[in-house]
Amino acid sequence: MSALARSPFVDGYVFLEGPRWHDGCLWVSDIWAHKVYCIKEDGRAETAADVPQRPSGLGFLPDGTPLIVSMQDRRVYRLETGALQLHADLSGSVAADINDMVVDDQGRAYIGDMGYDLFGGGPSAPGGIVLVEPDGRHRIVADGLDFPNGMVITNGGDTLVVAESFGERLRAFDRAANGDLRNPRVYATLEGLVPDGICLDVDGNIWVAGAMGGAFVQVNPAGDVIARIDVAPDAAIACQLGGGDGRTLYCLIYAGGIEELSSGKPGARIETVRVDAAAAGSP
């Protein structure tokens, strides 16, 4: 198993999630600062949007329009000329906050329903995945998941893989032509890692942020861990391949506890690792 070296990139954020590389910029959600940032390769950051109900998953429609998940009000917004426009209201379809998101090449967005009030200490309950069509219509396409989190679309678009954080595994689904998900199965078992954000490389490997395991790991299509980046005792929250050649792995790291999040105290940073296989474009 290969080991990879880390380099500092930026710090001083509260809690970063949902990284996406788009048009020469790393987009990230600072959930508890209620902002979405666009960070250039040199570390300069601009505020792209203010999201009062906590931003999380990010994605882009085929025309480049950003989509932003707003967790607490359970809505998805389009960012148009600097303003948030409602794309889909999921509040009548899900029972808890919504979280991570992946958008396919047709503009269909898959969004995870956490299942229960994690931050408020609510009782555990299974979550699911909601599919939002480009016109905002939506439906539930998977349920019974143990805290669904990061997602990628792989295998030529035929397969969706989701991190089940508290199930400590990646789960795969076949994708139907209409976007429905079928044939759920375990893709990889990641005991002790608590997988959070994930991203895909051109070789079909999936980089996984193992939140409570304090490590980013690379999982091959057979479900084996083939590389590891240790950040313990800090938490590995999410990751994204990007940069000019797609071979920079941006690692979102958090140093702090869940009880500190709502205080707005900075605890998040991003480090980078140079890798061999470039980004595959999902997310």
Side-chain angles (χ1 to χ4, degrees):
M1 183 187 306
S2 60
L4 300 168
R6 299 145 48 194
S7 299
F9 180 52
V10 295
D11 61 15
Y13 295 89
V14 181
F15 187 83
L16 297 175
E17 258 284 14
R20 299 291 182 262
W21 182 263
H22 179 73
D23 197 21
C25 182
L26 182 71
W27 291 65
V28 294
S29 290
D30 196 339
I31 293 178
W32 293 95
H34 310 282
K35 294 181 181 295
V36 174
Y37 294 102
C38 178
I39 307 176
K40 302 294 186 181
E41 284 191 83
D42 62 5
R44 291 180 296 119
E46 298 178 355
T47 299
D50 292 290
V51 186
Q53 299 299 313
R54 301 202 311 259
S56 185
L58 302 172
F60 298 87
L61 293 172
D63 66 0
T65 300
L67 292 182
I68 300 173
V69 166
S70 181
M71 299 181 73
Q72 274 188 300
D73 58 358
R74 305 168 196 175
R75 294 181 174 185
V76 183
Y77 292 97
R78 299 185 308 276
L79 182 62
E80 297 180 344
T81 60
L84 296 179
Q85 304 293 337
L86 182 64
H87 185 64
D89 184 350
L90 311 187
S91 60
S93 302
V94 300
D97 289 358
I98 54 178
N99 190 21
D100 219 325
M101 173 173 64
V102 68
V103 182
D104 74 6
D105 58 6
Q106 297 181 48
R108 293 178 294 198
Y110 294 88
I111 299 158
D113 159 25
M114 293 167 64
Y116 68 100
D117 185 4
L118 171 70
F119 298 117
S124 178
I129 298 173
V130 181
L131 172 61
V132 178
E133 299 284 358
D135 63 3
R137 291 177 297 122
H138 61 275
R139 61 188 184 276
I140 296 171
V141 291
D143 56 18
L145 299 175
D146 199 348
F147 204 86
N149 220 314
M151 290 174 276
V152 298
I153 296 170
T154 185
N155 192 27
D158 290 341
T159 304
L160 181 140
V161 178
V162 59
E164 283 187 90
S165 293
F166 300 133
E168 299 187 338
R169 60 182 167 250
L170 303 182
R171 184 174 294 277
F173 295 85
D174 295 333
R175 294 180 71 225
N178 68 350
D180 284 350
L181 300 181
R182 301 169 179 168
N183 187 28
R185 58 200 181 275
V186 174
Y187 186 91
T189 299
L190 299 169
E191 186 174 350
L193 283 179
V194 187
D196 195 332
I198 65 178
C199 66
L200 182 71
D201 72 25
V202 292
D203 292 337
N205 304 311
I206 298 174
W207 281 101
V208 180
M212 298 300 102
F216 297 87
V217 299
Q218 187 183 33
V219 177
N220 68 16
D224 302 318
V225 174
I226 57 175
R228 183 181 180 99
I229 304 164
D230 286 300
V231 298
D234 298 334
I237 302 300
C239 51
Q240 175 64 59
L241 287 161
D245 62 0
R247 292 179 49 241
T248 297
L249 183 69
Y250 291 91
C251 300
L252 278 56
I253 300 166
Y254 178 66
I258 194 170
E259 68 282 351
E260 299 173 85
L261 291 174
S262 59
S263 70
K265 178 182 176 181
R269 68 185 188 275
I270 303 176
E271 296 183 355
T272 61
V273 176
R274 293 291 291 166
V275 299
D276 292 332
S282 177

